[in-house]
């Protein structure tokens, strides 16, 4: 079971990509597909939803370890984090290719003028150092600083929710859903570290 | 998520007018037009044929009868209409959900017959009228209009209906009638988004026009499209079409028309006054705060060509409507 954990997670995480590739193939071959009348926009939204879903999943693993008293959740944490980066990059790339058609002027204008775009882009930029330092060698090299650096993911979570919130026109369902999930996952960390601190203090006194 | 279940009511792609049929028909129509010219010049006006779909859509008998004698209009654009399946599967009708496919999915059981419309306010004739009474004196015509959504996509839709002014004059609006206010059905049992706790829209949906806008020849009440009765997701059984304004002005499933002295509080303007104005005239020079309005994606877009075209002032209808706004600062009254 334990040996299958990583390959199984890897294959499952690829399923959204497989599905969208299949839809694109259907679309390009002129058959019925599920991408609608504006397939470019549908693809951008699809990757965005999966990026934020992987963000929620990744952040859920540490509390899950505490809850289950098992270590397997954190063994796939790095992989899921990298998939978050993968889908966030596809989200950004498909936005640039399908919606802005790689027009540099357009991209620059959008980044400067549209706050939800700048917030989303900032979130992706913050993911870059995390993805680059995800190798075993980097973990060893950075030592304690690796953990502090990777706390940036909490900032990314806030930016991602802001990005979704700013995009909404009238229905805040998605924004609320992701906002609540991430609030819950972040506050569980605050609680557990506060509890840890209290425990330390009480041990020091007695 | 983009996973859609197909249900038995779905229109198969084989039922949609193929491009080849469409062009063949055009050739035929052109040929008829030419022979018509030879016969009499008065026939030349009828050179166009109403666009039709084979989709299994049917309304009440009296409406079907009216639909069978639909004329074409000189206000129609000659641009190719957006395919029927796109017009009916990519909709903003938030009462049935905020996803583009939600209205089609969630409006299948929407009851639009019987239907009545309340007429109220500053007019000599007011009261509640059945849809049949509302439509009785009006001959139906097809108008192929451009539809520009505030979200920067657009379509070309062959609507069927009658001029709004012809209906409004029947109620003899008084001199106090300076605006016309429209209301969509409020029925949370049938319209799921009206029950949503996450929606910031205060239903029922309300839209409005200045009386001179409402009396403009282009303002249109549509009861069908592509030769058939109006599909539920497009605003059945009767909806407004104001082609020179952003799509959200063209209110759907109308149950109330009211003549008012004061400018009505409209839904999107109340929700986000910085982003959506009362006038909402299509204007490439006034950006939405969150995106540009200079261009639009003409649907259906394909993957590597977004079908992007320049947006025209008043959506290309300036010659008919620009005079309504003479002397107004359109950047301020957006």
């Amino acid at each position: 079971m334990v040996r299958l954990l990583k390959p199984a997670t890897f294959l499952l995480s690829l399923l959204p990509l497989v599905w969208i590739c299949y839809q694109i193939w259907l679309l390009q071959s002129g058959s019925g597909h599920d991408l609608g009348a504006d397939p470019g926009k549908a693809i951008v939204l699809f990757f965005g939803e999966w990026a934020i879903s992987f963000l929620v999943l990744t952040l859920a693993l540490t509390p899950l370890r505490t809850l289950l008293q098992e270590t397997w959740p954190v063994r796939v944490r790095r992989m899921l984090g990298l998939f978050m980066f993968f889908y966030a990059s596809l989200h950004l790339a498909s936005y640039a290719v399908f919606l802005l058609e790689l027009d540099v002027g357009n991209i620059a204008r959008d980044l400067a003028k549209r706050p939800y775009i700048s917030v989303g882009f900032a979130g992706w930029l913050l993911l870059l150092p995390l993805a680059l330092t995800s190798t075993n060698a980097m973990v060893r090299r950075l030592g304690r600083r690796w953990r502090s650096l990777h706390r940036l993911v909490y900032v990314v979570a806030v930016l991602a929710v802001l990005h979704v919130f700013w995009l909404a026109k009238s229905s805040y369902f998605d924004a609320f859903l992701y906002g609540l999930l991430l609030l819950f996952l972040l506050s569980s960390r605050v609680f557990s570290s506060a509890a840890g601190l209290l425990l330390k203090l009480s041990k020091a006194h007695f | 998520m983009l996973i859609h279940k197909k249900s038995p009511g779905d229109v198969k792609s084989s039922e949609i007018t193929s491009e080849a049929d469409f062009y063949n028909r055009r050739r035929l129509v052109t040929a008829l037009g030419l022979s018509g010219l030879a016969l009499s010049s008065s026939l030349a006006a009828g050179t166009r044929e109403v666009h039709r779909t084979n989709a299994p859509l049917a309304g009440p008998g009296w409406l079907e009868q009216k639909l069978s004698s639909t004329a074409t209009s000189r206000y129609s654009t000659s641009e190719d209409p957006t395919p029927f399946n796109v017009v009916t599967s990519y909709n903003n009708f938030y009462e049935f959900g905020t996803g583009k496919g939600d209205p089609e999915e969630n409006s299948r059981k929407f009851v639009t017959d019987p239907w009545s419309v309340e007429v109220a306010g500053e007019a000599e004739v007011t009261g509640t009228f059945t849809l049949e009474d509302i439509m009785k004196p009006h001959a139906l015509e097809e108008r192929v209009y451009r539809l520009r959504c505030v979200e920067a996509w657009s379509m070309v839709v062959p609507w069927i209906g009658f001029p709004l002014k012809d209906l409004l004059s029947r109620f003899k609006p008084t001199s106090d009638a300076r605006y016309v206010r429209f209301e969509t059905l409020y029925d949370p049992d049938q319209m799921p988004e009206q029950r949503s706790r996450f929606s910031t829209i205060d239903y029922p949906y309300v839209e409005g026009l200045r009386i001179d806008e409402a009396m403009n020849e282009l303002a249109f009440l549509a009861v069908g499209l592509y030769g058939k009765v109006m599909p539920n997701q497009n605003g059945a059984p009767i909806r407004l079409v104001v082609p020179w304004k952003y799509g959200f002005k063209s209110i759907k499933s109308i149950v109330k028309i009211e003549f008012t002295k004061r400018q009505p509080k409209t839904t999107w303007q109340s929700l986000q006054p910085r982003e959506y104005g009362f006038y909402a005239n299509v204007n490439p020079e006034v950006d939405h705060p969150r995106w540009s309005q200079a261009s639009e994606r003409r649907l259906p877009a394909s993957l590597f060509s977004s079908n992007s075209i320049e947006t025209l002032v008043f959506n290309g209808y300036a010659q008919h409507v620009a005079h309504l706004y003479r002397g107004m600062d359109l950047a301020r009254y957006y």
Side-chain angles (χ1 to χ4, degrees):
Chain A
M1 272 306 280
V2 175
R3 256 198 300 166
L4 281 178
L5 180 69
K6 282 192 177 179
T9 310
F10 185 81
L11 289 177
L12 279 176
S13 304
L14 279 177
L15 282 183
L17 182 71
V18 172
W19 186 83
I20 204 87
C21 288
Y22 175 61
Q23 291 300 330
I24 291 171
W25 177 76
L26 285 178
L27 168 76
Q28 297 301 82
S29 62
S31 345
H33 58 87
D34 282 336
L35 296 173
D38 201 351
K41 200 168 176 185
I43 291 168
V44 173
L45 287 177
F46 178 87
F47 284 138
E49 278 175 8
W50 278 103
I52 198 164
S53 302
F54 272 98
L55 176 62
V56 171
L57 273 176
T58 308
L59 288 173
L61 294 173
T62 308
L64 196 65
R65 172 183 60 185
T66 322
L67 198 72
L68 300 177
Q69 301 285 319
E70 296 263 6
T71 56
W72 64 262
V74 290
R75 299 184 50 187
V76 290
R77 190 170 52 186
R78 209 184 332 165
M79 189 193 288
L80 291 187
L82 280 168
F83 268 109
M84 167 199 13
F85 175 69
F86 177 65
Y87 284 110
S89 305
L90 287 174
H91 176 56
L92 177 67
S94 53
Y95 165 75
V97 174
F98 299 140
L99 296 191
L100 299 179
E101 300 180 310
L102 292 177
D103 180 327
V104 180
N106 260 343
I107 297 177
R109 244 194 320 279
D110 253 19
L111 274 178
K113 266 184 95 172
R114 324 268 170 231
Y116 66 96
I117 304 278
S118 7
V119 162
F121 188 66
W124 181 80
L125 280 182
L126 289 184
L127 284 177
L128 269 182
L130 307 195
L132 290 175
T133 57
S134 65
T135 58
N136 283 331
M138 284 309 277
V139 177
R140 272 195 303 275
R141 236 175 89 183
L142 289 173
R144 284 166 140 255
R145 281 173 303 162
W146 191 88
R147 288 195 59 152
S148 333
L149 176 68
H150 280 249
R151 290 212 173 96
L152 268 180
V153 74
Y154 303 136
V155 182
V156 173
V158 173
L159 292 177
V161 170
L162 202 59
H163 178 65
V164 175
F165 190 80
W166 232 322
L167 267 165
K169 280 179 69 196
S170 73
S171 174
Y172 289 89
F173 179 77
D174 286 356
F176 268 108
L177 177 73
Y178 293 123
L180 276 180
L181 280 171
L182 288 169
L183 186 72
F184 172 74
L185 293 173
L186 295 187
S187 54
S188 79
R189 285 167 168 78
V190 176
F191 278 122
S192 68
S193 55
L197 194 67
L198 278 179
L199 200 68
K200 248 193 239 167
L201 282 175
S202 60
K203 274 186 186 151
H205 278 285
F206 298 103
Chain B
M1 282 297 296
L2 288 163
I3 298 165
H4 291 296
K5 285 191 207 85
K6 292 274 176 281
S7 68
D10 280 349
V11 179
K12 292 189 206 81
S13 46
S14 59
E15 285 168 344
I16 297 155
T17 317
S18 74
E19 221 167 320
D21 282 352
F22 175 74
Y23 286 111
N24 278 337
R25 200 164 55 199
R26 287 212 139 188
R27 256 200 300 279
L28 180 72
V29 171
T30 317
L32 281 173
L34 289 175
S35 58
L37 263 180
L39 284 168
S40 136
S41 59
S42 68
L43 279 177
T47 49
R48 250 201 289 235
E49 194 181 284
V50 171
H51 299 87
R52 292 191 189 280
T53 171
N54 302 322
L57 283 163
W62 60 267
L63 183 53
E64 287 300 313
Q65 211 172 355
K66 278 186 94 78
L67 283 165
S68 65
S69 53
T70 301
T72 55
S73 165
R74 65 191 180 95
Y75 296 114
S76 285
T77 166
S78 56
E79 285 161 88
D80 288 343
T82 305
F84 175 82
N85 67 323
V86 173
V87 171
T88 54
S89 66
Y90 195 89
N91 307 97
N92 278 333
F93 193 170
Y94 277 18
E95 282 81 346
F96 290 108
T98 54
K100 295 286 182 284
D102 291 347
E104 182 188 25
E105 191 89 355
N106 299 332
S107 71
R108 293 187 206 282
K109 291 180 184 154
F110 182 41
V111 181
T112 58
D113 178 40
W115 192 270
S116 53
V117 180
E118 184 192 343
V119 178
E122 314 291 341
E124 285 174 32
V125 183
T126 56
T128 301
F129 304 88
T130 65
L131 186 62
E132 191 176 1
D133 285 340
I134 290 272
M135 288 177 56
K136 202 170 274 168
H138 305 287
L140 296 183
E141 58 184 276
E142 180 190 65
R143 293 218 184 158
V144 187
Y145 275 158
R146 288 179 287 276
L147 169 81
R148 170 60 158 83
C149 179
V150 72
E151 297 168 342
W153 52 266
S154 67
M155 294 183 183
V156 176
V157 185
W159 303 107
I160 290 182
F162 53 96
L164 174 65
K165 69 171 163 54
D166 292 352
L167 177 73
L168 296 187
S169 347
R170 280 167 60 199
F171 306 119
K172 303 193 171 67
T174 68
S175 56
D176 277 339
R178 297 179 51 213
Y179 294 90
V180 190
R181 179 184 180 278
F182 301 87
E183 210 174 285
T184 297
L185 177 71
Y186 179 72
D187 187 352
D189 286 340
Q190 292 201 80
M191 298 174 147
E193 189 68 12
Q194 292 181 339
R195 303 192 296 265
S196 165
R197 287 161 196 277
F198 299 97
S199 171
T200 47
I201 292 180
D202 190 13
Y203 290 106
Y205 192 88
V206 172
E207 258 311 331
L209 296 172
R210 225 168 50 191
I211 191 85
D212 58 339
E213 296 178 316
M215 292 297 185
N216 184 276
E217 58 211 342
L218 291 187
F220 197 63
L221 281 168
V223 296
L225 53 81
Y226 268 101
K228 290 281 177 80
V229 65
M230 187 69 74
N232 290 344
Q233 61 270 33
N234 295 87
I238 186 164
R239 64 165 291 168
L240 188 65
V241 182
V242 205
W244 70 96
K245 292 174 180 284
Y246 292 122
F248 69 86
K249 293 294 290 183
S250 293
I251 186 170
K252 301 183 176 81
S253 305
I254 299 168
V255 291
K256 189 172 177 185
I257 299 174
E258 188 181 356
F259 297 94
T260 64
K261 260 189 239 181
R262 297 226 171 87
Q263 182 176 306
K265 280 195 168 56
T266 55
T267 296
W268 281 103
Q269 195 197 11
S270 313
L271 196 66
Q272 205 54 266
R274 268 187 64 243
E275 300 191 345
Y276 311 98
F278 174 79
Y279 286 95
N281 292 317
V282 175
N283 190 341
E285 274 140 45
V286 178
D287 277 354
H288 183 283
R290 287 185 282 167
W291 56 83
S292 160
Q293 297 291 28
S295 64
E296 63 202 51
R297 295 156 73 79
R298 176 60 59 82
L299 300 186
S302 65
L303 210 48
F304 293 101
S305 141
S306 64
N307 247 350
S308 193
I309 54 175
E310 267 179 44
T311 290
L312 303 171
V313 67
F314 296 114
N315 203 20
Y317 296 101
Q319 63 169 118
H320 299 285
V321 299
H323 66 273
L324 296 169
Y325 310 100
R326 204 159 285 147
M328 273 174 72
D329 178 359
L330 294 176
R332 186 166 167 227
Y333 296 100
Y334 51 88

